[in-house]
Amino acid sequence: ELKVEQNPLFLSMQEGKNYTIYCNYSTTSDRLYWYRQDPGKSLESLFVLLSNGAVKQEGRLMASLDTKARLSTLHITAAVHDLSATYFCAVDYLYNQGGKLIFGQGTELSVKP
Amino acid sequence: DAGVTQSPTHLIKTRGQQVTLRCSPKSGHDTVSWYQQALGQGPQFIFQYYEEEERQRGNFPDRFSGHQFPNYSSELNVNALLLGDSALYLCASSFSMGLGYSYEQYFGPGTRLTVT
């Protein structure tokens, strides 16, 4: 069974600092997603990574995918308070049979002034 | 263009009761997947419906069942509710091509189920 592990699970950052969230997964897949979730809300899609070496950036967030290492990273540059949320990575398992997202445990990010 | 919609928003039920949750997919989508998210955890895949049939299923007991209608909307039914069924239930829709290849899943706002 595919496993997806994120680290760290909790991250307290100061505004202006940089940090990286890691997402490791246990079986071959070249489709990975990053989501943001605010408390009590649904999932907001951040990035869709569809091939080895894919890199996408939006504002202060940048995501990358290394399918050979089975690793994705979400890098935060110069954090601001508005980025405080829980971030999930999800591997799209069996997308050629309909797709089944396997989620990591989530990283709860808190950005403090 | 309306995105994925779910109803109701919140629901409170008693142990042993049955519940039905509803989902309408995004326009142009034909596949609906359901996920359960317990507090403090990542979403867990329940099952997926395509062409009115269950195409994939996660590790959930038979108390969890579903249905897809000809207009692609879907229902999730849970029988004999347990306290542990309290969670946010998320519906996601996507478009599948031919042999089952699917594109990105788009999530609805969720239904918060509380079992007392």
Side-chain angles (χ1 to χ4, degrees), chain B residues 80-116:
Chain B
L81 284 167
L82 303 174
L83 294 179
D85 295 331
S86 295
L88 179 68
Y89 287 84
L90 295 165
C91 166
S93 74
S94 57
F95 173 68
S96 293
M97 281 184 66
L99 297 177
Y101 185 93
S102 70
Y103 292 87
E104 182 182 0
Q105 296 184 27
Y106 290 77
F107 283 85
T111 294
R112 173 74 61 186
L113 172 64
T114 301
V115 182
T116 62

Side-chain angles (χ1 to χ4, degrees), chain A residues 1 31 33 35 37 39-45 47-48 88 92-106, chain B residues 31 33 35 37 40-43 45 48 55-58 88 90 94 96 99-105 107-110 112:
Chain A
E1 176 74 9
R31 289 175 63 165
Y33 305 93
Y35 294 93
Q37 188 174 43
K41 303 292 186 182
S42 185
L43 300 171
E44 174 189 351
S45 179
F47 299 108
V48 179
F88 292 95
D92 197 345
Y93 187 53
L94 301 177
Y95 59 82
N96 58 346
Q97 297 175 37
K100 170 182 174 179
L101 296 180
I102 308 297
F103 285 81
Q105 315 95 308
Chain B
T31 302
S33 302
Y35 295 82
Q37 186 178 22
Q41 298 183 23
F45 176 78
Q48 182 183 87
R55 178 159 68 178
Q56 291 198 62
R57 189 177 183 91
L88 179 68
L90 295 165
S94 57
S96 293
L99 297 177
Y101 185 93
S102 70
Y103 292 87
E104 182 182 0
Q105 296 184 27
F107 283 85
R112 173 74 61 186

Side-chain angles (χ1 to χ4, degrees), chain A residues 65-83:
Chain A
L65 178 62
D66 181 343
T67 59
K68 294 179 181 177
R70 299 178 186 170
L71 170 69
S72 181
T73 61
L74 179 66
H75 185 73
I76 303 157
T77 302
V80 293
H81 178 71
D82 284 353
L83 290 179

